[in-house]
Amino acid sequence: MSEAKVSCRNVWKLFGSDPEKFLAAHGGVPDTEAITAAGYIPAVRDATVDVQEGEILVLMGLSGSGKSTLVRCMSRLIEATAGEIDFDGQDLRAASERELVEIRRHKMGMVFQHFALFPHRTVLENVAFPLEVQGVDLADRNARALEIIDLVGLHGRGDYYPRELSGGQQQRVGIGRSLAVEPDVWFLDEPFSALDALIRREMQDEFLRLQSTLQKTIVFITHDFDEAIRLADRIAIMRDGVIDQLGTAEELITNPGSDYVAAFTKNVSRAKLLRVHTLMAPPSADAEGEVDGKVFVASVARKILSSPGTLRVVEDGEVVGSITAEQVTEALFEAE
Ligand SMILES: Nc1ncnc2c1ncn2[C@@H]1O[C@H](COP(=O)(O)OP(=O)(O)O)[C@@H](O)[C@H]1O
Ligand SMILES: [Mg+2]
């Protein structure tokens, strides 16, 4: 297991008049009734989650479920009401103002759905801005910014102004600007939600391509389960401020812990997400033919469905189970 880069323990964020006092009066764990009766808004409730180094953790949930608030607590853009937040081994809530500035300047990158580019600065100047703040000299920061502009697919557009770019291109500038300081941890709050479907898919592909070379630790917010599936190593589903379930897409689909989670996963293509070994039965003596256990069912569905009998499931040269056409059809159409 790799190291946790960001670690949240029992984090609460209540909006209202005196949330610290209110939490203390309820032993730190008020129930919903008490919270509502006292007029507090429970944006985040008792959230515990580790973001592992190099992983993409996606936060999902309906609008108002607390995703942005949790990420703002993780980056201390807002102060949590209670709980522990470790950032890169450091107690973030105890960090001084000066330490926080340092952490933000060097270790955190942030992208929001509607973040402001500087309209009177060129693409190059926008991307180079965080380096300017760091005090990097002009030649060095421009050289770095040019590299980033290439990296985010805007080669040759350094001298453009934001108004001369499409929405998707502007978002690329924002992404580039957030990468300029080479952050360890990258927070992205619905960065593609305002883009239309086609551009959005393209941006997701680009994002994955970037991540395959950059290997950042990422917290990515979306309300779209398809986007979550494409990008996430793990998905945390939030509901009314609570992390309802945390797991891989496959785990959430095969084993939803609540109707709320099941509702999100209902319309996804199970064949593309479930692997053969998730559906298989124990090895069977009369199996003929074989399939790889690690591949997605979709890639071998034709073979399995056209086999009259049982197939061996093999991983790394060893028989690990068996599978039949019936098991596949059942699993794939279970959701209906
Ligand atoms: N500054 C604030 N003051 C009061 N309530 C807030 C504030 N920010 C967020 N909230 C409330 O907290 C809840 C969670 O909001 P948010 O984290 O923005 O959800 P999401 O990002 O999942 O849409 C919502 O009920 C929202 O209205
Ligand atoms: Mg939000």
Side-chain angles (χ1 to χ4, degrees):
M1 197 74 172
S2 52
E3 294 267 294
K5 199 78 175 170
V6 186
S7 177
C8 296
R9 292 275 160 280
N10 311 105
V11 170
W12 288 78
K13 178 64 186 181
L14 299 181
F15 289 103
S17 55
D18 192 351
E20 281 85 5
K21 189 173 161 201
F22 172 78
L23 269 187
H26 290 81
V29 281
D31 59 24
T32 307
E33 267 175 25
I35 295 169
T36 328
Y40 287 96
I41 296 168
V44 174
R45 290 196 250 187
D46 211 10
T48 294
V49 58
D50 282 341
V51 191
Q52 303 296 334
E53 181 156 15
E55 89 165 322
I56 303 180
L57 178 79
V58 168
L59 291 185
M60 256 212 62
L62 296 178
S63 179
S65 58
K67 306 178 297 293
S68 295
T69 304
L70 180 56
V71 158
R72 289 187 188 129
C73 290
M74 284 182 184
S75 53
R76 229 182 109 183
L77 282 178
I78 58 173
E79 301 287 348
T81 311
E84 289 168 37
I85 300 165
D86 278 354
F87 187 96
D88 211 4
Q90 185 177 358
D91 179 352
L92 192 70
R93 297 190 62 207
S96 67
E97 203 52 47
R98 174 193 290 228
E99 286 169 330
L100 206 53
V101 167
E102 281 303 294
I103 293 172
R104 291 233 184 84
R105 272 190 196 163
H106 297 282
K107 293 188 172 179
M108 285 181 189
M110 298 183 210
V111 183
F112 303 99
Q113 185 180 338
H114 302 287
F115 54 88
L117 296 175
F118 299 111
H120 302 299
R121 287 172 171 250
T122 62
V123 168
L124 184 83
E125 289 163 347
N126 266 284
V127 172
F129 178 73
L131 299 171
E132 195 178 324
V133 172
Q134 277 186 4
V136 176
D137 73 52
L138 184 69
D140 285 347
R141 65 182 194 245
N142 283 353
R144 174 82 188 119
L146 279 174
E147 280 173 28
I148 291 173
I149 287 168
D150 282 357
L151 190 69
V152 298
L154 290 175
H155 182 82
R157 292 201 165 73
D159 294 332
Y160 284 45
Y161 285 89
R163 65 171 182 280
E164 299 173 301
L165 302 175
S166 69
Q169 287 170 334
Q170 289 183 26
Q171 208 63 352
R172 286 168 195 262
V173 178
I175 286 171
R177 191 172 69 185
S178 76
L179 288 173
V181 303
E182 300 180 56
D184 296 343
V185 180
W186 204 13
F187 297 109
L188 299 106
D189 189 346
E190 308 217 19
F192 309 145
S193 294
L195 305 172
D196 62 49
L198 216 63
I199 307 275
R200 188 166 179 164
R201 256 193 109 74
E202 201 179 294
M203 295 293 284
Q204 291 165 358
D205 290 337
E206 287 267 327
F207 175 77
L208 288 171
R209 184 184 59 75
L210 269 177
Q211 171 63 354
S212 70
T213 55
L214 301 175
Q215 302 284 314
K216 303 282 182 206
T217 301
I218 295 174
V219 182
F220 188 108
I221 297 179
T222 179
H223 57 256
D224 173 8
F225 196 64
D226 285 325
E227 183 163 273
I229 287 167
R230 293 198 76 205
L231 305 181
D233 291 307
R234 293 186 304 154
I235 300 171
I237 299 204
M238 291 193 71
R239 174 195 202 173
D240 298 336
V242 175
I243 296 179
D244 207 17
Q245 194 169 357
L246 173 64
T248 62
E250 193 169 12
E251 283 163 2
L252 297 178
I253 289 164
T254 50
N255 209 356
S258 65
D259 291 348
Y260 179 76
V261 173
F264 275 117
T265 64
K266 201 176 65 184
N267 292 322
V268 301
S269 162
R270 300 166 74 83
K272 283 187 192 150
L273 277 160
L274 298 185
R275 293 174 200 274
V276 171
H277 59 208
T278 308
L279 301 184
M280 71 188 180
S284 152
D286 58 0
E288 283 177 36
E290 63 181 50
V291 286
D292 186 343
K294 290 179 186 165
V295 300
F296 290 113
V297 172
S299 68
V300 288
R302 191 180 291 271
K303 180 171 178 182
I304 299 173
L305 293 176
S306 62
S307 301
T310 308
L311 292 141
R312 275 188 301 281
V313 179
V314 178
E315 282 182 12
D316 305 321
E318 284 197 31
V319 177
V320 291
S322 66
I323 195 157
T324 62
E326 232 180 311
Q327 282 161 345
V328 169
T329 11
E330 237 174 62
L332 297 190
F333 298 108
E334 193 181 47
E336 297 169 23

